[in-house]
Amino acid sequence: MTARSEPATTTVDGRSMVLLSEQEYEALLSSRRQLGSQVARLTKVRDALLDVVELAESLGSALVDRRNQAATGEGTADGIGVDAAAELLGEAHRRLDRARRAAGARKPTTDPAREG
């Protein structure tokens, strides 16, 4: 397909229209399909990224809370928010797995956070 500086046009019922060959029209349809699939993929990646940002904010808040509790002497040294931390870590794994899938990345063979 050769590039043109000005497309071929015509007027039908008083409206200006661009003329395309069948080959150009098929190429245009193909480009639209490709763009549509890329938009869907980018939407998934954006949603996964927003999940990871929310997760990072939650983890940051949990760390600040833990630091503040330790500084004020609230709770016990080994029992501060254990259940909440375990729940947050489980949610972290779910969200990070989703982000990996959206980005097309493979899951690591070992997960240091899950090793005992």
Side-chain angles (χ1 to χ4, degrees):
M1 186 183 327
T2 60
R4 297 185 215 169
S5 58
E6 291 291 322
T9 59
T10 190
T11 303
V12 177
D13 294 332
R15 293 179 57 193
S16 181
M17 297 191 178
V18 175
L19 300 174
L20 297 176
S21 68
E22 284 185 41
Q23 183 181 7
E24 291 170 326
Y25 182 73
E26 290 299 324
L28 178 62
L29 288 179
S30 176
S31 295
R32 289 183 66 191
R33 284 190 297 271
Q34 290 172 2
L35 180 61
S37 68
Q38 290 301 315
V39 167
R41 180 176 166 86
L42 283 174
T43 299
K44 286 176 69 174
V45 170
R46 184 200 66 210
D47 290 347
L49 179 60
L50 291 175
D51 261 0
V52 171
V53 166
E54 185 179 300
L55 172 64
E57 290 171 346
S58 297
L59 289 171
S61 295
L63 289 171
V64 168
D65 290 346
R66 170 77 183 211
R67 183 199 62 203
N68 291 342
Q69 288 174 348
T72 61
E74 295 177 9
T76 60
D78 58 352
I80 299 174
V82 171
D83 291 337
E87 183 179 329
L88 190 56
L89 286 173
E91 182 65 18
H93 289 295
R94 284 188 293 279
R95 290 183 185 204
L96 291 171
D97 286 344
R98 179 178 177 218
R100 274 189 208 96
R101 285 191 308 272
R106 284 187 279 178
K107 191 172 184 176
T109 54
T110 60
D111 190 344
R114 292 184 181 173
E115 292 178 359

